Amino acid sequence: MVADRKTQIVIVGGGAAGLELARKLGAHYGRKRHDIILIDRNRTHIWKPLLHEVATGSLDASMDEVGYRSHCHRWGYRYLYGQFDRIDRAAQQVHIAPMFDDKGREVVSAHVVRYDYLVLAYGSVTNDFGTPGVVDNCLFLDSRGQADSFRDQLLNHCLRVSRAMVARPTSDARVRIAIVGGGATGVELAAELYNAADALGYYGLEVFDRARLDVTLLEAGPRILPALPDRLAEAAHGELEALGVKVLTGMAVTESTEEGMKTGDGAFVPADLQIWAAGVKAAPVRGGLDGLALSRGGQVIVRPTLQSETDDRIFAMGDCAYSMLPRRDRPVPPRAQAAHQMASTAFTNIKRLLAERPLVDFNYRDHGSLVSLSRFSTVGSLMGKLVGGRMAVEGRLARFVYLSLYRMHLLAVHGWWRGSALIAVSHINRLVRPRLKLH
Ligand SMILES: Cc1cc2nc3c(=O)[nH]c(=O)nc-3n(C[C@H](O)[C@H](O)[C@H](O)COP(=O)(O)OP(=O)(O)OC[C@H]3O[C@@H](n4cnc5c(N)ncnc54)[C@H](O)[C@@H]3O)c2cc1C
Protein backbone atom coordinates (compact mmCIF):
# COMPACT_ATOMS: atom_id res chain seq x y z
CA MET A 1 0.00 0.00 0.00
CA VAL A 2 1.30 3.48 -0.86
CA ALA A 3 1.42 5.82 2.15
CA ASP A 4 -0.61 9.05 1.84
CA ARG A 5 1.58 11.67 0.24
CA LYS A 6 1.63 14.99 2.08
CA THR A 7 0.51 18.02 0.09
CA GLN A 8 3.64 19.97 -0.74
CA ILE A 9 3.33 23.77 -0.77
CA VAL A 10 6.47 25.46 -2.07
CA ILE A 11 7.13 29.19 -1.57
CA VAL A 12 9.90 30.76 -3.65
CA GLY A 13 11.35 33.83 -1.91
CA GLY A 14 11.39 34.52 1.83
CA GLY A 15 10.93 38.30 1.72
CA ALA A 16 8.20 40.58 3.05
CA ALA A 17 5.48 38.38 1.51
CA GLY A 18 7.04 34.89 1.38
CA LEU A 19 8.34 34.74 4.95
CA GLU A 20 5.03 35.93 6.39
CA LEU A 21 3.17 33.26 4.39
CA ALA A 22 5.62 30.49 5.38
CA ARG A 23 5.17 31.38 9.05
CA LYS A 24 1.39 31.40 8.79
CA LEU A 25 1.17 28.11 6.89
CA GLY A 26 3.75 26.43 9.12
CA ALA A 27 2.01 27.62 12.29
CA HIS A 28 -1.38 26.49 10.96
CA TYR A 29 -0.52 23.07 9.52
CA GLY A 30 2.81 22.09 11.13
CA ARG A 31 5.09 19.52 9.55
CA LYS A 32 2.76 16.58 10.06
CA ARG A 33 -0.24 17.66 8.03
CA HIS A 34 1.40 19.28 4.98
CA ASP A 35 4.92 19.91 3.81
CA ILE A 36 5.56 23.66 3.61
CA ILE A 37 8.87 24.49 1.91
CA LEU A 38 10.46 27.93 1.65
CA ILE A 39 13.26 28.41 -0.89
CA ASP A 40 15.55 31.44 -0.73
CA ARG A 41 18.99 32.17 -2.16
CA ASN A 42 19.97 33.95 1.05
CA ARG A 43 20.35 32.43 4.49
CA THR A 44 18.78 35.37 6.29
CA HIS A 45 15.90 37.77 5.70
CA ILE A 46 16.08 41.51 6.16
CA TRP A 47 13.02 43.69 5.56
CA LYS A 48 13.95 45.72 2.48
CA PRO A 49 12.64 49.13 3.64
CA LEU A 50 15.40 49.03 6.28
CA LEU A 51 18.17 48.82 3.67
CA HIS A 52 18.86 52.55 3.40
CA GLU A 53 19.50 52.60 7.16
CA VAL A 54 21.79 49.56 6.81
CA ALA A 55 23.61 51.33 3.96
CA THR A 56 24.39 54.40 6.06
CA GLY A 57 25.25 52.40 9.19
CA SER A 58 22.27 53.80 11.13
CA LEU A 59 21.03 50.25 11.58
CA ASP A 60 23.01 47.11 12.35
CA ALA A 61 21.35 44.56 10.06
CA SER A 62 22.50 41.63 12.15
CA MET A 63 20.15 42.86 14.92
CA ASP A 64 17.11 42.86 12.63
CA GLU A 65 17.68 40.00 10.21
CA VAL A 66 15.92 36.66 10.58
CA GLY A 67 17.84 33.40 10.04
CA TYR A 68 15.65 31.08 7.96
CA ARG A 69 16.95 27.91 9.62
CA SER A 70 16.00 28.83 13.16
CA HIS A 71 12.77 30.44 11.98
CA CYS A 72 11.61 27.34 10.09
CA HIS A 73 12.51 25.11 13.02
CA ARG A 74 10.29 27.20 15.25
CA TRP A 75 7.34 27.57 12.91
CA GLY A 76 6.98 24.14 11.33
CA TYR A 77 8.08 24.58 7.74
CA ARG A 78 11.21 23.50 5.81
CA TYR A 79 13.77 25.92 4.43
CA LEU A 80 15.90 25.12 1.39
CA TYR A 81 18.90 27.30 0.58
CA GLY A 82 18.95 27.66 -3.19
CA GLN A 83 18.54 29.82 -6.26
CA PHE A 84 15.22 29.33 -8.05
CA ASP A 85 16.02 28.75 -11.70
CA ARG A 86 12.87 27.69 -13.56
CA ILE A 87 9.49 25.96 -13.39
CA ASP A 88 8.41 22.76 -15.11
CA ARG A 89 4.63 23.06 -14.92
CA ALA A 90 3.82 19.68 -16.48
CA ALA A 91 6.00 17.86 -13.93
CA GLN A 92 4.98 20.29 -11.12
CA GLN A 93 8.59 20.92 -10.23
CA VAL A 94 10.78 23.92 -9.56
CA HIS A 95 14.40 23.66 -10.65
CA ILE A 96 17.06 24.93 -8.27
CA ALA A 97 20.39 26.08 -9.69
CA PRO A 98 23.67 25.02 -8.06
CA MET A 99 25.08 27.37 -5.39
CA PHE A 100 28.81 28.01 -4.92
CA ASP A 101 30.89 29.47 -2.10
CA ASP A 102 33.41 32.35 -2.42
CA LYS A 103 36.05 29.92 -3.65
CA GLY A 104 33.83 28.51 -6.38
CA ARG A 105 33.16 25.21 -4.57
CA GLU A 106 29.68 23.82 -4.97
CA VAL A 107 27.54 24.11 -1.84
CA VAL A 108 24.16 23.02 -3.24
CA SER A 109 23.97 21.00 -6.46
CA ALA A 110 21.27 21.49 -9.08
CA HIS A 111 18.08 19.70 -8.05
CA VAL A 112 14.31 19.79 -8.38
CA VAL A 113 11.58 20.27 -5.79
CA ARG A 114 8.12 18.89 -6.38
CA TYR A 115 5.08 21.01 -5.61
CA ASP A 116 1.34 20.56 -5.35
CA TYR A 117 0.93 24.31 -4.97
CA LEU A 118 3.59 26.86 -5.76
CA VAL A 119 3.74 30.43 -4.47
CA LEU A 120 6.10 32.80 -6.30
CA ALA A 121 7.33 35.63 -4.06
CA TYR A 122 10.81 36.36 -5.38
CA GLY A 123 10.39 40.14 -5.37
CA SER A 124 11.85 42.81 -7.60
CA VAL A 125 15.14 44.51 -8.44
CA THR A 126 16.01 48.09 -9.27
CA ASN A 127 15.36 48.98 -12.90
CA ASP A 128 18.25 50.85 -14.56
CA PHE A 129 16.25 51.11 -17.83
CA GLY A 130 19.38 50.01 -19.70
CA THR A 131 21.11 53.34 -18.99
CA PRO A 132 24.75 53.06 -20.16
CA GLY A 133 27.38 52.64 -17.44
CA VAL A 134 24.92 52.13 -14.58
CA VAL A 135 25.66 48.44 -13.98
CA ASP A 136 29.42 49.13 -13.83
CA ASN A 137 29.49 52.37 -11.88
CA CYS A 138 26.40 52.54 -9.68
CA LEU A 139 25.45 50.83 -6.47
CA PHE A 140 21.93 49.51 -5.91
CA LEU A 141 20.00 48.92 -2.71
CA ASP A 142 18.29 45.61 -3.40
CA SER A 143 19.95 43.36 -0.85
CA ARG A 144 21.84 43.35 2.42
CA GLY A 145 25.10 42.61 0.53
CA GLN A 146 24.67 45.74 -1.58
CA ALA A 147 23.78 47.86 1.45
CA ASP A 148 26.87 46.57 3.30
CA SER A 149 29.05 47.32 0.31
CA PHE A 150 27.68 50.89 0.13
CA ARG A 151 28.39 51.40 3.84
CA ASP A 152 31.99 50.17 3.48
CA GLN A 153 32.64 52.49 0.54
CA LEU A 154 30.96 55.42 2.30
CA LEU A 155 33.10 54.95 5.42
CA ASN A 156 36.27 54.67 3.34
CA HIS A 157 35.46 57.96 1.58
CA CYS A 158 34.67 59.67 4.90
CA LEU A 159 37.95 58.41 6.31
CA ARG A 160 39.89 59.69 3.30
CA VAL A 161 38.31 63.14 3.61
CA SER A 162 38.94 63.17 7.34
CA ARG A 163 42.63 62.27 6.81
CA ALA A 164 42.97 64.96 4.13
CA MET A 165 41.58 67.53 6.58
CA VAL A 166 43.95 66.44 9.33
CA ALA A 167 46.90 66.70 6.92
CA ARG A 168 45.75 70.09 5.59
CA PRO A 169 43.05 71.90 7.60
CA THR A 170 42.24 74.21 4.67
CA SER A 171 41.49 71.21 2.42
CA ASP A 172 38.17 71.39 0.58
CA ALA A 173 37.91 67.58 0.35
CA ARG A 174 34.34 66.30 0.27
CA VAL A 175 32.45 63.03 -0.09
CA ARG A 176 30.43 63.48 -3.27
CA ILE A 177 27.36 61.28 -3.54
CA ALA A 178 24.88 61.24 -6.44
CA ILE A 179 21.54 59.49 -5.93
CA VAL A 180 19.30 58.83 -8.92
CA GLY A 181 15.59 58.64 -8.17
CA GLY A 182 13.49 61.05 -6.13
CA GLY A 183 11.11 58.34 -4.91
CA ALA A 184 10.95 57.18 -1.30
CA THR A 185 14.21 55.20 -1.41
CA GLY A 186 16.33 58.03 -2.85
CA VAL A 187 14.84 60.65 -0.54
CA GLU A 188 15.17 58.49 2.58
CA LEU A 189 18.75 57.59 1.75
CA ALA A 190 19.72 61.24 1.16
CA ALA A 191 18.37 62.28 4.58
CA GLU A 192 19.86 59.25 6.33
CA LEU A 193 23.33 60.20 5.05
CA TYR A 194 23.19 63.44 7.05
CA ASN A 195 22.14 61.57 10.16
CA ALA A 196 25.16 59.29 9.70
CA ALA A 197 27.52 62.23 9.02
CA ASP A 198 26.43 63.86 12.30
CA ALA A 199 27.12 60.64 14.19
CA LEU A 200 30.57 60.02 12.68
CA GLY A 201 32.02 62.73 14.91
CA TYR A 202 31.30 60.58 17.99
CA TYR A 203 33.32 57.69 16.62
CA GLY A 204 36.79 58.98 15.95
CA LEU A 205 36.27 61.09 12.82
CA GLU A 206 36.24 64.29 14.89
CA VAL A 207 37.08 66.51 11.96
CA PHE A 208 34.29 65.16 9.75
CA ASP A 209 30.90 66.88 9.75
CA ARG A 210 27.87 67.16 7.48
CA ALA A 211 29.40 70.16 5.67
CA ARG A 212 31.81 67.62 4.14
CA LEU A 213 28.94 65.76 2.47
CA ASP A 214 28.02 66.79 -1.04
CA VAL A 215 24.80 64.94 -1.86
CA THR A 216 22.92 65.44 -5.14
CA LEU A 217 19.49 63.89 -5.72
CA LEU A 218 18.58 63.63 -9.40
CA GLU A 219 14.96 63.10 -10.43
CA ALA A 220 13.74 62.92 -14.03
CA GLY A 221 10.18 63.97 -13.16
CA PRO A 222 9.02 67.50 -12.35
CA ARG A 223 9.10 66.87 -8.58
CA ILE A 224 10.27 64.37 -5.99
CA LEU A 225 7.96 61.88 -4.25
CA PRO A 226 5.31 61.54 -6.98
CA ALA A 227 3.23 59.23 -4.75
CA LEU A 228 2.64 62.05 -2.24
CA PRO A 229 0.46 65.17 -2.56
CA ASP A 230 2.24 68.32 -3.84
CA ARG A 231 2.33 70.01 -0.46
CA LEU A 232 4.10 67.11 1.26
CA ALA A 233 6.55 66.61 -1.60
CA GLU A 234 7.40 70.32 -1.37
CA ALA A 235 7.87 70.03 2.41
CA ALA A 236 10.25 67.07 1.92
CA HIS A 237 12.08 68.96 -0.84
CA GLY A 238 12.59 71.94 1.49
CA GLU A 239 13.69 69.69 4.35
CA LEU A 240 16.31 68.00 2.14
CA GLU A 241 17.67 71.34 0.92
CA ALA A 242 17.87 72.57 4.50
CA LEU A 243 20.03 69.55 5.29
CA GLY A 244 22.33 70.42 2.38
CA VAL A 245 21.08 68.07 -0.38
CA LYS A 246 21.10 69.50 -3.92
CA VAL A 247 17.73 68.42 -5.31
CA LEU A 248 17.68 68.51 -9.12
CA THR A 249 14.26 67.78 -10.65
CA GLY A 250 13.52 67.39 -14.38
CA MET A 251 17.03 65.96 -14.67
CA ALA A 252 17.19 62.64 -16.53
CA VAL A 253 20.46 60.75 -16.18
CA THR A 254 21.63 59.47 -19.56
CA GLU A 255 24.93 57.85 -18.62
CA SER A 256 27.03 56.92 -15.62
CA THR A 257 30.83 57.05 -15.88
CA GLU A 258 33.56 56.28 -13.35
CA GLU A 259 33.70 60.00 -12.51
CA GLY A 260 29.99 60.76 -12.23
CA MET A 261 26.71 61.15 -14.06
CA LYS A 262 25.80 62.74 -17.37
CA THR A 263 22.35 64.24 -17.69
CA GLY A 264 20.04 64.84 -20.66
CA ASP A 265 20.69 68.59 -20.74
CA GLY A 266 24.46 68.10 -21.04
CA ALA A 267 25.32 68.67 -17.38
CA PHE A 268 27.76 66.48 -15.47
CA VAL A 269 27.44 65.64 -11.78
CA PRO A 270 30.81 64.43 -10.41
CA ALA A 271 30.50 61.76 -7.73
CA ASP A 272 32.63 59.42 -5.63
CA LEU A 273 29.61 57.23 -4.94
CA GLN A 274 26.69 56.79 -7.32
CA ILE A 275 23.45 55.11 -6.24
CA TRP A 276 20.69 54.13 -8.62
CA ALA A 277 17.30 54.04 -6.89
CA ALA A 278 14.91 54.78 -9.77
CA GLY A 279 12.17 52.30 -10.59
CA VAL A 280 11.72 48.57 -10.06
CA LYS A 281 11.20 45.53 -12.28
CA ALA A 282 10.46 41.88 -11.47
CA ALA A 283 13.54 39.97 -10.35
CA PRO A 284 14.91 37.98 -13.31
CA VAL A 285 14.33 34.20 -13.40
CA ARG A 286 17.14 32.72 -15.46
CA GLY A 287 15.40 29.65 -16.85
CA GLY A 288 11.96 31.23 -17.29
CA LEU A 289 8.49 30.62 -15.98
CA ASP A 290 7.30 27.95 -18.43
CA GLY A 291 4.72 30.04 -20.26
CA LEU A 292 3.07 31.83 -17.32
CA ALA A 293 1.40 35.04 -18.50
CA LEU A 294 3.69 37.97 -17.67
CA SER A 295 3.24 41.74 -17.66
CA ARG A 296 5.49 43.96 -19.77
CA GLY A 297 7.68 44.42 -16.70
CA GLY A 298 8.04 40.64 -16.30
CA GLN A 299 5.69 40.24 -13.32
CA VAL A 300 3.41 37.19 -13.10
CA ILE A 301 -0.14 38.25 -14.02
CA VAL A 302 -2.52 37.05 -11.33
CA ARG A 303 -6.29 36.83 -11.04
CA PRO A 304 -8.03 38.45 -8.05
CA THR A 305 -7.48 35.20 -6.10
CA LEU A 306 -3.70 35.70 -6.61
CA GLN A 307 -3.55 32.54 -8.73
CA SER A 308 -1.57 32.92 -11.91
CA GLU A 309 -3.78 33.75 -14.88
CA THR A 310 -2.33 30.66 -16.58
CA ASP A 311 -2.10 28.00 -13.89
CA ASP A 312 -4.42 27.39 -10.91
CA ARG A 313 -1.70 25.65 -8.91
CA ILE A 314 0.60 28.65 -9.01
CA PHE A 315 0.12 31.79 -6.91
CA ALA A 316 2.21 34.96 -7.09
CA MET A 317 2.39 37.76 -4.54
CA GLY A 318 4.46 40.77 -3.58
CA ASP A 319 6.58 42.69 -6.07
CA CYS A 320 6.79 39.83 -8.60
CA ALA A 321 2.97 39.72 -8.98
CA TYR A 322 0.96 41.87 -11.38
CA SER A 323 -2.44 42.29 -9.75
CA MET A 324 -4.90 44.78 -11.19
CA LEU A 325 -6.84 47.00 -8.81
CA PRO A 326 -10.64 46.44 -9.08
CA ARG A 327 -11.20 49.54 -11.27
CA ARG A 328 -8.52 48.07 -13.59
CA ASP A 329 -6.84 51.43 -14.09
CA ARG A 330 -3.50 50.45 -12.50
CA PRO A 331 -1.80 47.52 -10.80
CA VAL A 332 -1.23 47.12 -7.08
CA PRO A 333 2.00 49.06 -6.33
CA PRO A 334 5.20 47.19 -5.38
CA ARG A 335 5.14 48.11 -1.71
CA ALA A 336 5.67 46.39 1.62
CA GLN A 337 2.05 46.93 2.68
CA ALA A 338 0.83 45.22 -0.52
CA ALA A 339 3.20 42.28 0.10
CA HIS A 340 1.91 41.98 3.68
CA GLN A 341 -1.75 42.02 2.57
CA MET A 342 -1.14 39.59 -0.29
CA ALA A 343 0.49 37.12 2.11
CA SER A 344 -2.72 37.15 4.19
CA THR A 345 -4.93 36.54 1.13
CA ALA A 346 -2.63 33.80 -0.19
CA PHE A 347 -2.79 32.11 3.24
CA THR A 348 -6.60 32.25 3.27
CA ASN A 349 -6.84 30.94 -0.29
CA ILE A 350 -4.41 28.06 0.20
CA LYS A 351 -6.39 26.97 3.27
CA ARG A 352 -9.59 27.23 1.24
CA LEU A 353 -8.13 25.27 -1.68
CA LEU A 354 -7.07 22.47 0.65
CA ALA A 355 -10.54 22.46 2.21
CA GLU A 356 -12.15 22.54 -1.27
CA ARG A 357 -13.92 25.80 -0.53
CA PRO A 358 -14.30 28.75 -2.94
CA LEU A 359 -11.41 31.24 -2.94
CA VAL A 360 -11.66 34.91 -1.94
CA ASP A 361 -10.49 37.92 -3.96
CA PHE A 362 -7.52 40.03 -2.94
CA ASN A 363 -8.74 43.44 -1.84
CA TYR A 364 -5.87 45.94 -1.65
CA ARG A 365 -6.30 48.59 1.03
CA ASP A 366 -3.99 51.53 0.49
CA HIS A 367 -3.19 52.85 3.96
CA GLY A 368 -1.14 55.69 2.50
CA SER A 369 2.51 56.50 1.87
CA LEU A 370 5.04 57.65 4.41
CA VAL A 371 8.58 58.80 3.85
CA SER A 372 11.11 59.05 6.65
CA LEU A 373 13.69 61.82 6.47
CA SER A 374 15.67 60.02 9.16
CA ARG A 375 15.42 61.64 12.62
CA PHE A 376 14.81 65.03 10.99
CA SER A 377 11.21 64.52 9.88
CA THR A 378 8.60 62.09 8.52
CA VAL A 379 5.97 63.08 5.96
CA GLY A 380 3.21 61.24 4.22
CA SER A 381 -0.48 60.75 3.67
CA LEU A 382 -2.78 58.31 5.39
CA MET A 383 -5.82 56.83 3.71
CA GLY A 384 -8.86 55.14 5.11
CA LYS A 385 -12.17 55.42 6.88
CA LEU A 386 -10.51 56.29 10.19
CA VAL A 387 -9.09 59.53 8.81
CA GLY A 388 -12.04 60.15 6.44
CA GLY A 389 -10.35 59.69 3.05
CA ARG A 390 -6.86 61.04 2.60
CA MET A 391 -5.01 62.96 5.29
CA ALA A 392 -1.59 64.57 5.10
CA VAL A 393 0.55 63.82 8.14
CA GLU A 394 3.92 65.02 9.36
CA GLY A 395 6.03 64.76 12.48
CA ARG A 396 5.46 62.35 15.36
CA LEU A 397 2.19 60.84 14.10
CA ALA A 398 3.76 60.17 10.69
CA ARG A 399 6.84 58.65 12.36
CA PHE A 400 4.65 56.42 14.53
CA VAL A 401 2.66 55.11 11.53
CA TYR A 402 5.87 54.69 9.49
CA LEU A 403 7.35 52.48 12.22
CA SER A 404 4.05 50.58 12.54
CA LEU A 405 4.50 49.00 9.11
CA TYR A 406 7.72 47.31 10.24
CA ARG A 407 6.14 46.35 13.56
CA MET A 408 3.31 44.64 11.66
CA HIS A 409 5.91 42.72 9.67
CA LEU A 410 7.68 41.67 12.89
CA LEU A 411 4.40 40.44 14.39
CA ALA A 412 3.50 38.58 11.17
CA VAL A 413 6.92 36.91 11.00
CA HIS A 414 7.44 36.12 14.70
CA GLY A 415 3.92 35.89 16.13
CA TRP A 416 2.50 38.19 18.81
CA TRP A 417 4.61 37.26 21.85
CA ARG A 418 7.98 37.07 20.20
CA GLY A 419 7.24 39.96 17.82
CA SER A 420 6.21 42.25 20.73
CA ALA A 421 9.35 41.25 22.67
CA LEU A 422 11.52 42.09 19.65
CA ILE A 423 9.85 45.49 19.30
CA ALA A 424 10.61 46.19 22.98
CA VAL A 425 14.22 45.01 22.56
CA SER A 426 14.69 47.24 19.50
CA HIS A 427 13.70 50.27 21.64
CA ILE A 428 16.30 49.31 24.23
CA ASN A 429 18.92 48.73 21.55
CA ARG A 430 18.38 52.23 20.19
CA LEU A 431 19.33 53.54 23.65
CA VAL A 432 22.26 51.29 24.52
CA ARG A 433 23.91 50.45 21.20
CA PRO A 434 26.19 52.75 19.15
CA ARG A 435 24.34 55.16 16.84
CA LEU A 436 26.31 53.89 13.84
CA LYS A 437 27.54 50.53 12.66
CA LEU A 438 31.08 51.22 11.57
CA HIS A 439 32.40 47.83 10.51
C1 LIG B 1 15.64 50.42 -0.25
C2 LIG B 1 14.16 50.10 -0.29
C3 LIG B 1 13.28 50.82 0.51
C4 LIG B 1 11.92 50.53 0.49
N1 LIG B 1 11.08 51.25 1.30
C5 LIG B 1 9.76 50.95 1.33
C6 LIG B 1 8.87 51.65 2.20
O1 LIG B 1 9.29 52.55 2.94
N2 LIG B 1 7.55 51.32 2.20
C7 LIG B 1 7.07 50.32 1.39
O2 LIG B 1 5.86 50.03 1.41
N3 LIG B 1 7.88 49.64 0.55
C8 LIG B 1 9.21 49.93 0.50
N4 LIG B 1 10.04 49.23 -0.34
C9 LIG B 1 9.47 48.17 -1.19
C10 LIG B 1 9.30 46.88 -0.37
O3 LIG B 1 10.50 46.57 0.27
C11 LIG B 1 8.89 45.75 -1.31
O4 LIG B 1 7.68 46.11 -1.94
C12 LIG B 1 8.68 44.44 -0.55
O5 LIG B 1 9.87 44.04 0.10
C13 LIG B 1 8.24 43.34 -1.55
O6 LIG B 1 8.16 42.13 -0.88
P1 LIG B 1 8.41 40.77 -1.68
O7 LIG B 1 8.19 39.68 -0.69
O8 LIG B 1 7.63 40.77 -2.92
O9 LIG B 1 9.93 40.83 -2.12
P2 LIG B 1 11.25 40.90 -1.24
O10 LIG B 1 10.95 41.41 0.11
O11 LIG B 1 12.23 41.60 -2.09
O12 LIG B 1 11.69 39.38 -1.11
C14 LIG B 1 12.07 38.61 -2.20
C15 LIG B 1 12.84 37.41 -1.69
O13 LIG B 1 13.07 36.52 -2.78
C16 LIG B 1 14.40 36.06 -2.76
N5 LIG B 1 14.77 35.72 -4.14
C17 LIG B 1 14.79 36.53 -5.20
N6 LIG B 1 15.13 35.86 -6.32
C18 LIG B 1 15.33 34.59 -5.93
C19 LIG B 1 15.72 33.39 -6.63
N7 LIG B 1 15.95 33.38 -7.94
N8 LIG B 1 15.85 32.26 -5.91
C20 LIG B 1 15.63 32.23 -4.57
N9 LIG B 1 15.26 33.33 -3.88
C21 LIG B 1 15.10 34.49 -4.54
C22 LIG B 1 15.19 37.21 -2.17
O14 LIG B 1 16.40 36.74 -1.58
C23 LIG B 1 14.21 37.76 -1.13
O15 LIG B 1 14.39 37.13 0.11
C24 LIG B 1 11.42 49.51 -0.35
C25 LIG B 1 12.30 48.78 -1.16
C26 LIG B 1 13.67 49.07 -1.13
C27 LIG B 1 14.61 48.27 -2.01
Side-chain angles (χ1 to χ4, degrees):
M1 198 176 93
V2 180
D4 265 359
R5 207 176 65 162
K6 282 197 270 188
T7 307
Q8 204 147 295
I9 302 162
V10 175
I11 304 163
V12 175
L19 187 58
E20 291 189 12
L21 178 64
R23 205 281 298 179
K24 281 175 192 252
L25 287 171
H28 189 76
Y29 291 114
R31 285 189 182 81
K32 291 201 179 96
R33 287 171 61 196
H34 299 296
D35 198 2
I36 320 293
I37 298 174
L38 176 69
I39 300 171
D40 203 288
R41 62 180 173 199
N42 292 313
R43 291 192 167 97
T44 56
H45 157 79
I46 179 95
W47 197 58
K48 267 169 88 175
L50 298 178
L51 286 179
H52 65 281
E53 292 185 48
V54 177
T56 53
S58 310
L59 185 101
D60 183 348
S62 41
M63 305 298 297
D64 281 77
E65 66 188 351
V66 182
Y68 291 118
R69 285 219 183 278
S70 52
H71 191 261
C72 78
H73 177 73
R74 180 174 185 85
W75 291 109
Y77 66 91
R78 282 200 288 149
Y79 157 66
L80 300 182
Y81 171 57
Q83 166 98 17
F84 165 58
D85 191 40
R86 71 181 177 92
I87 309 177
D88 179 342
R89 292 203 288 126
Q92 288 179 218
Q93 290 175 339
V94 289
H95 285 241
I96 307 300
M99 301 281 280
F100 301 92
D101 66 14
D102 297 347
K103 297 197 167 81
R105 290 176 304 206
E106 194 175 81
V107 179
V108 177
S109 54
H111 62 286
V112 296
V113 180
R114 177 186 68 78
Y115 66 81
D116 294 295
Y117 297 104
L118 174 64
V119 185
L120 299 174
Y122 51 80
S124 62
V125 291
T126 306
N127 193 351
D128 69 3
F129 306 101
T131 311
V134 171
V135 173
D136 296 327
N137 302 306
C138 291
L139 295 158
F140 300 93
L141 273 191
D142 286 328
S143 66
R144 160 133 195 223
Q146 291 171 345
D148 285 343
S149 161
F150 177 88
R151 191 185 60 250
D152 287 347
Q153 295 189 39
L154 174 67
L155 282 172
N156 288 344
H157 281 296
C158 293
L159 202 54
R160 264 182 221 116
V161 168
S162 178
R163 296 299 308 154
M165 289 161 66
V166 169
R168 194 166 58 87
T170 53
S171 161
D172 64 352
R174 281 183 163 61
V175 181
R176 301 164 307 168
I177 303 171
I179 304 171
V180 182
T185 303
V187 168
E188 293 188 337
L189 178 65
E192 203 60 59
L193 284 166
Y194 284 84
N195 181 38
D198 286 349
L200 279 171
Y202 296 108
Y203 302 113
L205 273 73
E206 292 91 353
V207 290
F208 193 91
D209 62 37
R210 62 163 78 173
R212 294 285 157 178
L213 271 189
D214 190 348
V215 180
T216 308
L217 182 68
L218 298 117
E219 165 58 44
R223 69 168 172 93
I224 60 166
L225 299 173
L228 293 189
D230 280 349
R231 190 180 77 69
L232 290 173
E234 268 168 35
H237 189 132
E239 194 85 42
L240 286 179
E241 287 189 331
L243 286 172
V245 181
K246 270 188 225 107
V247 184
L248 305 178
T249 50
M251 192 70 92
V253 172
T254 50
E255 189 182 343
S256 162
T257 70
E258 276 182 30
E259 280 74 41
M261 286 172 167
K262 292 183 184 169
T263 65
D265 61 359
F268 185 74
V269 179
D272 305 306
L273 276 173
Q274 302 173 51
I275 300 97
W276 192 273
V280 294
K281 62 180 181 187
V285 179
R286 210 185 53 152
L289 293 169
D290 198 7
L292 291 186
L294 301 180
S295 69
R296 271 198 300 173
Q299 293 161 297
V300 178
I301 301 177
V302 293
R303 282 177 268 149
T305 56
L306 298 183
Q307 288 163 297
S308 145
E309 204 172 67
T310 325
D311 190 325
D312 279 357
R313 287 186 179 275
I314 300 180
F315 289 76
M317 57 180 195
D319 287 4
C320 72
Y322 187 87
S323 169
M324 264 296 170
L325 287 166
R327 270 192 274 150
R328 305 200 67 79
D329 52 348
R330 61 196 170 93
V332 173
R335 304 236 303 262
Q337 57 174 309
H340 174 73
Q341 293 173 29
M342 282 178 165
S344 296
T345 302
F347 173 58
T348 303
N349 278 348
I350 288 170
K351 275 192 307 180
R352 283 176 164 257
L353 256 181
L354 295 173
E356 295 179 6
R357 290 170 59 203
L359 306 196
V360 297
D361 285 353
F362 174 59
N363 176 18
Y364 178 59
R365 288 172 304 278
D366 184 352
H367 295 305
S369 301
L370 290 152
V371 177
S372 161
L373 302 173
S374 188
R375 67 190 162 86
F376 309 109
S377 172
T378 303
V379 297
S381 59
L382 296 181
M383 314 267 280
K385 290 191 191 110
L386 207 61
V387 293
R390 188 178 191 141
M391 183 177 88
V393 284
E394 282 176 73
R396 279 174 187 268
L397 174 62
R399 182 81 195 151
F400 177 79
V401 183
Y402 178 84
L403 293 175
S404 304
L405 189 58
Y406 181 46
R407 289 179 186 143
M408 269 157 55
H409 178 65
L410 284 178
L411 296 176
V413 163
H414 296 289
W416 278 94
W417 287 112
R418 218 176 150 83
S420 305
L422 284 167
I423 292 166
V425 168
S426 74
H427 282 299
I428 297 168
N429 276 334
R430 294 238 171 218
L431 295 176
V432 299
R433 289 185 63 83
R435 277 177 62 190
L436 276 190
K437 177 180 159 65
L438 292 165
H439 51 83

